[in-house]
Amino acid sequence: MSFYIQKYPSRVSGYVSAIILNTAIYFHGFPTGLLIPTAMLIIMLGEGSQRMENSKTLQALYTENDP
């Protein structure tokens, strides 16, 4: 599972945000007080996945294509 998270962080972030937002929409018993922390979690997941993708891009640019 952690290998999948490290390899595809943007997919995991998208899955989590879709699950949480659909839960908030379709289940009316979802506590609205959790929406702000949930939104913050989604933003943090997006930021983390962006940083992981950037590090993979830099690694591919500077180490794998070194002539």
Side-chain angles (χ1 to χ4, degrees):
M1 183 70 174
S2 66
F3 175 74
Y4 186 80
I5 292 171
Q6 289 177 351
K7 189 167 181 172
Y8 305 111
S10 57
R11 287 184 186 179
V12 173
S13 174
Y15 296 151
V16 169
S17 63
I19 289 169
I20 291 172
L21 292 175
N22 282 325
T23 302
I25 290 171
Y26 291 117
F27 296 108
H28 298 291
F30 191 76
T32 56
L34 290 177
L35 288 179
I36 292 176
T38 303
M40 293 174 67
L41 172 70
I42 292 171
I43 291 170
M44 287 184 348
L45 282 173
E47 177 71 23
S49 67
Q50 178 184 1
R51 289 178 188 262
M52 289 179 78
E53 291 293 330
N54 286 344
S55 68
K56 289 194 301 188
T57 302
L58 288 175
Q59 181 182 6
L61 283 174
Y62 294 116
T63 60
E64 295 176 2
N65 295 329
D66 196 19

